[in-house]
Amino acid sequence: MSTLLVYRWRLAPDGYATRRQLRALGLRPGGQDVAAQLERPRRRRGPLVAYLYRIDRARPVRPMTPARRAALAAAMAARRTCPVCRQDRGYCIPRSLGMCAPCHDNPTAEEASRVR
């Protein structure tokens, strides 16, 4: 059974990075296990924990292919399209409303029966 190395906040040695730091370097963990963790103490709750990966074992980020780019564009277009008025609103439709703000603020009888 292996235990993780634990470092205090801002005291991790060189050669370790979080997922976000790896991404900023153009890398990804690449299947490696967590090598260590950072703990940032808090007063009234448990410590914040950040997992660290070894930079020398990280792999480059996979490049964006045309098919992946098209799938991502289609998914984002679906999130921007109102299901009631079928218009691309230019922003992601709030899941709490389920429709764009104009449709939510001014429902007609037809739209109200369709949504409820």
Side-chain angles (χ1 to χ4, degrees):
M1 180 176 162
S2 67
T3 59
L4 288 178
L5 298 172
V6 179
Y7 297 104
R8 301 234 342 144
W9 196 253
R10 297 183 185 263
L11 297 177
D14 292 336
Y16 291 99
T18 63
R19 284 182 177 267
R20 286 186 180 192
Q21 291 169 337
L22 287 176
R23 181 57 72 146
L25 296 172
L27 301 171
R28 62 186 169 95
Q32 66 174 304
D33 292 331
V34 174
Q37 72 181 25
L38 283 177
E39 286 190 354
R40 179 179 179 196
R42 297 192 289 183
R43 291 184 184 199
R44 301 183 194 272
R45 294 182 280 179
L48 289 174
V49 176
Y51 296 112
L52 300 173
Y53 300 90
R54 292 188 44 177
I55 294 176
D56 60 343
R57 291 186 183 170
R59 295 185 179 163
V61 175
R62 294 184 188 119
M64 182 69 76
T65 63
R68 287 177 66 193
R69 190 178 311 277
L72 182 60
M76 291 306 294
R79 289 183 65 190
R80 290 190 313 261
T81 304
C82 175
V84 177
C85 63
R86 301 282 184 213
Q87 292 181 1
D88 185 343
R89 289 298 180 175
Y91 58 87
C92 290
I93 305 298
R95 293 177 61 190
S96 60
L97 299 178
M99 62 185 79
C100 64
C103 290
H104 182 264
D105 293 341
N106 301 318
T108 63
E110 178 185 341
E111 291 172 354
S113 65
R114 212 181 328 163
V115 173
R116 293 182 188 163

